[in-house]
Amino acid sequence: SSSLTLNFKHKKIKTKNNMVSKLVTRIAGIFIIISVLLGMYVHPNFYWFTLFVGTNLLQSTFTNWCLLGDILRKLGVKD
C-alpha cells in the first residue's frame, strides 16, 4: 500500500492510502452523483439518499468507523 508523508511546521503526518479507503471514497462519490442526477430528473426524494451518504461520510470522520468499509473487508478487500 502507498503512503504519503506531509510536513507541517516540523511535524510529520503520515497518511495511509489503502484499498478500502479508496473504494469507500469512490463508491460514495458514485452514489452522490447518481442520487443527485436521479433527484434532478426522476424524483426529488432521491436527494434524501444524497443526504444519507454525506451524513455517513461525516460521521465516519468522527468515529473512524464506516459500514461500507466493514462490508468491503468482509468481502475480502485488503487494507
Side-chain angles (χ1 to χ4, degrees), residues 48-70:
W48 288 106
F49 186 68
T50 308
L51 181 65
F52 172 76
V53 173
T55 302
N56 277 299
L57 286 171
L58 181 63
Q59 73 81 25
S60 71
T61 65
F62 293 108
T63 63
N64 292 323
W65 177 78
C66 176
L67 177 62
L68 180 55
D70 285 352

Side-chain angles (χ1 to χ4, degrees), residues 15 23 27 57:
T15 61
L23 284 174
I27 292 169
L57 286 171

Side-chain angles (χ1 to χ4, degrees), residues 3-6 12-16:
S3 64
L4 172 69
T5 302
L6 304 172
K12 288 186 178 181
I13 301 172
K14 194 169 185 175
T15 61
K16 189 175 180 183

Side-chain angles (χ1 to χ4, degrees), residues 18-30 68-69 72-73 77-78:
N18 60 41
M19 187 55 69
V20 172
S21 176
K22 287 180 182 181
L23 284 174
V24 166
T25 305
R26 287 176 187 162
I27 292 169
I30 290 167
L68 180 55
L72 290 171
R73 282 185 204 92
V77 177
K78 301 289 182 198

Side-chain angles (χ1 to χ4, degrees), residues 24-42:
V24 166
T25 305
R26 287 176 187 162
I27 292 169
I30 290 167
F31 282 172
I32 289 170
I33 292 168
I34 290 171
S35 63
V36 167
L37 290 173
L38 288 170
M40 290 169 52
Y41 296 112
V42 177

